[in-house]
Amino acid sequence: MKQDIFQAISDPTRRAILTLIAIQALTPNAMAEKFAMTRQAVSKHIKVLHECELIKPEHSGREIYYHLNAKKMQEFDHWLAQFRQNWQTQFNQLDQLLTTIKEQKQ
């Protein structure tokens, strides 16, 4: 079952995992050490992130290193960009309104 990207990034541990592997690829054991949790617990988080295609595994001998899937993150960022402009416009309008109110009170 493919996971929803929003469900995947809603968890603070999964966001922290994404932040870590954005810097360097890590094995599940290395991730478990960083979070003081079991490898099994980390594996559950990895499974969700992998199903969303946010991370990619790379086999190196007997180890599996997980990398950030920058392409998928870029797709997500492009989708968010359409909202970013709208938010910025609304924040600018709010800022202008607050400035006007402040000037009227002086």
Side-chain angles (χ1 to χ4, degrees), residues 3 7 23 33 37 74 83 101 105:
Q3 294 286 330
Q7 183 181 10
I23 297 167
E33 290 173 9
M37 64 174 59
Q74 189 176 34
F83 300 102
I101 291 171
K105 287 187 175 187

Side-chain angles (χ1 to χ4, degrees), residues 19-26 34 66-68:
T19 301
L20 277 176
I21 65 172
I23 297 167
Q24 76 177 56
L26 294 173
K34 303 262 186 202
Y66 287 91
H67 299 264
L68 183 69

Side-chain angles (χ1 to χ4, degrees), residues 36-66:
M37 64 174 59
T38 65
R39 187 186 185 288
Q40 291 79 13
V42 168
S43 291
K44 289 181 182 182
H45 289 296
I46 290 171
K47 180 181 178 187
V48 172
L49 293 169
H50 184 253
E51 287 175 354
C52 293
E53 301 174 355
L54 291 172
I55 62 174
K56 299 185 292 188
E58 180 182 308
H59 295 269
S60 178
R62 291 174 37 181
E63 295 286 346
I64 301 175
Y65 288 84
Y66 287 91

